[in-house]
Amino acid sequence: MGHLTVRGNELFIGEEPVVELARKYGTPVYVYNLKRVEDNYLRMADALRKAGFKEWEIHYAMKANNNVHVLETIRELGGKIDATSPGEVKLAWEVGFGDGDIIFTGTSLSNGDLEFLSGTEILVNFDSLSSIRRFRGEPFRKVGLRVNTGVGIGRVEKTTTGGSEIGSLPVKFGIPLNRVDEAFDLIEEKDYTLSCLHHHVGSDWTGPKVERYFPALRNLLDVAARAEERLGYRIETIDLGGGYGVPHSEDEPEFPLYDFFSRVKEHLDERGFGRAKVIVEPGTYLVSDAGILVVQVNTVEEKNGRIFVGVDAGLNVFNSPALYNYYHEVVVCNRVAAEETVTATVVGNICESGDIFAVDRPLPKVEEGDYLAILNAGAYGYVMANNYNLRPKGREVVVPFPEGP
Ligand SMILES: Cc1ncc(COP(=O)(O)O)c(C=O)c1O
């Protein structure tokens, strides 16, 4: 993964030996490499620039990881924020982002949430008619709409956010295509200005799934064209959402950023939106592979023909394998490769059957006391951690170490 290297059979993140970090800070510990966040950001910015958009902005979806050093890194690079709650907005303010840097897309918003937002100048993408109705913004306020374009794309069902149903799950997000006219009516009634059309199809998609994005985009641009006709003015911004995926294993491809954005640009040009500002809202792409979770092995034991490796963290610290069923590579930090390997099932310390990080994985022979790194843990990791079973949430460390005051 570039920023993760093996030196003398030990795992390093950036220039730091992971085992030393684990000993110094204790486990479980998330380690984020800010240099990798920067590289991911710059790669995306470069692809957007090369694709030739007239104007573009990267709004980091801070729900993925709200560590202040990560947020500061994004701000220093010129990035902006996608927030989903008043709490996220307040943290973004603390880090130095202004209202004009923040776009807000939330769901099931309370009157309190809406009142908070009406007191700011943040652009809100409304995802329900109810929230537009209950919002008390001044006339002429610029607003956006989150449209459910009828197409969902995610790594798994639980990370798919478009369409009416994904497998057995009904989709709650966005205003469906057959109700956008009602949203236009409300916006007119309240004298708001519709300035942004947004969709977010789902999370962490790449490979063959990329192709499925374009029918969704065409539907969004149809809505934008209809809005312009209906409201009689130009839509300033097309918000493409996030979801750009990262490989979870060596056989998965990198996200084809340049090809993807070039094709988006062609679509915009064809439909007369070449002049629009384009917003992207990546979370996963910027931070997922920049973070690892380091845990310590406390138990190695055969049960019913399987070797279980028990560690000092569970689904309360990192929920992605249990919640999303995502595959995460596991590395034995102090013995990355070994002649003797085992097939091990890595489990946590929480009293839940689903508290499993990896099933039947070939690993170098693991011993009690070893340190394991769970890769691709930088997104939707610590932000979801809790104290279930009254177990600690772990802590976060960034490398390179930030300079002191
Ligand atoms: C509205 C919106 N934008 C962006 C994102 C970021 O998605 P990802 O982390 O997959 O890039 C999400 C994730 O849930 C989202 O809901």
Side-chain angles (χ1 to χ4, degrees), residues 61 63-64 82 105 146 198 200 202-204 242-244 281-285 380:
K63 61 176 79 67
D82 162 45
T105 309
R146 176 178 185 162
H198 164 281
H200 172 72
S203 268
D204 209 357
Y244 320 109
E281 296 174 353
T284 300
Y285 189 84
Y380 307 103

Side-chain angles (χ1 to χ4, degrees), residues 50-53 211 214 217-218 221 240 258-275 278:
K50 288 193 176 130
F53 294 113
E211 196 53 41
F214 297 99
L217 178 63
R218 287 193 283 275
L221 296 178
L240 305 174
Y258 173 70
D259 287 356
F260 176 78
F261 289 130
S262 301
R263 286 190 62 195
V264 168
K265 171 80 167 63
E266 279 167 24
H267 276 73
L268 294 184
D269 288 344
E270 268 167 29
R271 303 301 305 272
F273 289 95
R275 65 192 144 69
V278 165

Side-chain angles (χ1 to χ4, degrees), residues 50-218:
K50 288 193 176 130
F53 294 113
K54 191 162 163 277
E55 205 185 332
W56 53 266
E57 289 175 359
I58 298 178
H59 285 247
Y60 167 55
M62 66 183 282
K63 61 176 79 67
N65 181 328
N66 58 33
N67 179 280
V68 289
H69 299 289
V70 170
L71 296 175
E72 276 164 4
T73 302
I74 300 287
R75 185 177 52 77
E76 281 160 17
L77 290 163
K80 295 167 184 272
I81 287 293
D82 162 45
T84 199
S85 70
E88 287 193 352
V89 169
K90 287 177 196 163
L91 180 59
W93 283 339
E94 270 175 45
V95 172
F97 293 97
D99 287 9
D101 302 323
I102 302 173
I103 196 156
F104 184 100
T105 309
T107 192
S108 299
L109 299 180
S110 68
N111 288 342
D113 294 334
L114 292 165
E115 197 181 318
F116 169 83
L117 290 166
S118 68
T120 71
E121 288 176 17
I122 292 168
L123 180 69
V124 181
N125 288 320
F126 290 101
D127 109 316
S128 69
L129 302 173
S130 163
S131 55
I132 309 175
R133 233 176 258 126
R134 289 181 288 121
F135 186 61
R136 303 261 170 269
E138 298 287 315
F140 309 117
R141 168 129 179 178
K142 287 186 180 179
V143 297
L145 290 181
R146 176 178 185 162
V147 179
N148 180 340
T149 46
V151 180
I153 320 167
R155 178 170 287 270
V156 296
E157 285 178 4
K158 279 192 182 153
T159 53
T160 300
T161 57
S164 55
E165 275 174 13
I166 304 300
S168 55
L169 299 175
V171 175
K172 67 176 177 174
F173 297 104
I175 298 174
L177 290 173
N178 64 359
R179 300 203 74 181
V180 288
D181 287 311
E182 291 171 68
F184 300 158
D185 287 342
L186 276 171
I187 286 171
E188 263 193 327
E189 257 169 47
K190 300 189 86 168
D191 277 335
Y192 299 149
T193 304
L194 179 60
S195 76
C196 176
L197 282 168
H198 164 281
H199 73 162
H200 172 72
V201 292
S203 268
D204 209 357
W205 38 278
T206 180
K209 288 186 176 172
V210 172
E211 196 53 41
R212 287 168 38 194
Y213 183 83
F214 297 99
L217 178 63
R218 287 193 283 275

Side-chain angles (χ1 to χ4, degrees), residues 352-370:
E352 290 285 339
S353 309
D355 187 25
I356 300 176
F357 290 118
V359 179
D360 294 341
R361 277 301 165 80
L363 289 179
K365 190 163 177 287
V366 190
E367 289 169 16
E368 293 173 5
D370 281 345

